[in-house]
Amino acid sequence: MEKHSMLYEGKAKKLFETEDPSILLIEYKDSLTAFNAQKKSTLSGKGSLNNKISAYLLEFIGSRGIPTHFVKIVDETHQLVKKVGIIPLEVVVRNITTGSLCKRLGVKEGVELKKPLLEFYLKDDALEDPIVTEDHVSAFEWASPAEVEILKRISLEVNKLLKERFLQVGIVLVDLKLEFGRTPDNTVILADEISPDTCRLWDISSGEKLDKDRFRKDLGNVLESYREVWERISKGEKR
Ligand SMILES: Nc1ncnc2c1ncn2[C@@H]1O[C@H](COP(=O)(O)OP(=O)(O)O)[C@@H](O)[C@H]1O
Ligand SMILES: [Mg+2]
């Protein structure tokens, strides 16, 4: 599929129009950002790994009945997706406490939650993606009450499917961030990406971090960890 004009360049991806107005081409970039882009770097090969991991996971959950924007992988760094109107929310599902949750509430790190904890954040870089309640979501009409129910149901289902899938390869899904969009007929589908940039993944035996926290916390071996995730899920091995 031919690349047309660039629609948007984000921190991790570029979106291009294609000859089909309902389909976009996503290019996964090698850039890595954290703390609302205050920390930036480039890692050659990161885009390709995230393109493959995201395609794999979106296809996997699609095969389990979750509606997603994923159409097909094109090459190392590109995939085709259905164009949606992005709902300006980030849905975070947490299985284990860490990160901003612990910082904000002073709760202990690394505690397994009795049931998954779901949070909404407003997708707004200028405001540093503030956490919001369901009442904020409905007061400002970022999503309708019926859509909120769909976001919650799909997010919890994706968490369940991926938690099981990662466990099979010796990885604990600690938390994940999802984005959703509306198709032209107003169906809500899962969009964006699912990758070590957007999930926290810990090795089950060593507890070693295999995700973007390696970059956030300067732990080193960022690319090697992303490659480890890809090798484990694509080969289905525990190691
Ligand atoms: N299917 C889609 N249709 C339209 N926009 C999308 C789709 N999937 C993802 N997006 C948007 O593409 C943008 C580019 O991705 P990214 O580089 O991760 O951006 P950001 O810097 O906002 O995180 C994001 O704002 C995301 O919401
Ligand atoms: Mg992003």
Side-chain angles (χ1 to χ4, degrees), residues 13 177 179 192-193:
K13 303 184 287 297
K177 184 271 295 176
E179 291 183 24
D192 207 48
E193 65 176 286

Side-chain angles (χ1 to χ4, degrees), residues 48-212:
S48 154
L49 285 165
N50 274 5
N51 180 42
K52 290 189 277 194
I53 293 169
S54 196
Y56 181 96
L57 295 175
L58 287 169
E59 189 156 56
F60 167 69
I61 59 174
S63 77
R64 298 296 190 274
I66 305 289
T68 86
H69 73 159
F70 182 72
V71 176
K72 69 170 191 175
I73 196 153
V74 176
D75 62 23
E76 279 290 301
T77 52
H78 295 87
Q79 59 184 260
L80 293 173
V81 301
K82 292 180 197 151
K83 183 178 185 174
V84 295
I86 290 287
I87 294 174
L89 297 171
E90 296 192 343
V91 186
V92 171
V93 183
R94 300 174 181 272
N95 299 305
I96 297 180
T97 63
T98 192
S100 66
L101 174 69
C102 296
K103 214 169 163 191
R104 193 172 51 244
L105 303 179
V107 294
K108 247 174 82 183
E109 283 260 352
V111 177
E112 201 172 322
L113 294 155
K114 285 215 180 80
K115 62 172 198 160
L117 175 63
L118 189 144
E119 300 169 325
F120 290 108
Y121 293 82
L122 180 63
K123 202 174 139 51
D124 187 327
D125 284 344
L127 298 176
E128 300 185 14
D129 299 340
I131 192 165
V132 294
T133 67
E134 270 184 62
D135 267 9
H136 290 115
V137 174
S138 72
F140 303 108
E141 298 180 340
W142 294 316
S144 73
E147 285 174 334
V148 167
E149 290 315 306
I150 295 170
L151 299 187
K152 292 202 288 189
R153 184 171 45 75
I154 296 182
S155 298
L156 292 173
E157 184 62 25
V158 169
N159 177 59
K160 186 166 169 267
L161 288 166
L162 293 184
K163 202 176 143 186
E164 283 166 12
R165 182 68 191 85
F166 278 120
L167 214 51
Q168 290 168 352
V169 294
I171 293 174
V172 178
L173 175 64
V174 173
D175 53 40
L176 81 167
K177 184 271 295 176
L178 301 171
E179 291 183 24
F180 294 83
R182 301 178 185 102
T183 61
D185 69 354
N186 273 330
T187 307
V188 172
I189 64 174
L190 185 67
D192 207 48
E193 65 176 286
I194 305 178
S195 74
D197 275 5
T198 62
C199 297
R200 284 197 177 89
L201 304 166
W202 295 353
D203 179 79
I204 195 165
S205 39
S206 66
E208 197 186 7
K209 297 181 197 305
L210 300 171
D211 57 66
K212 198 162 91 171

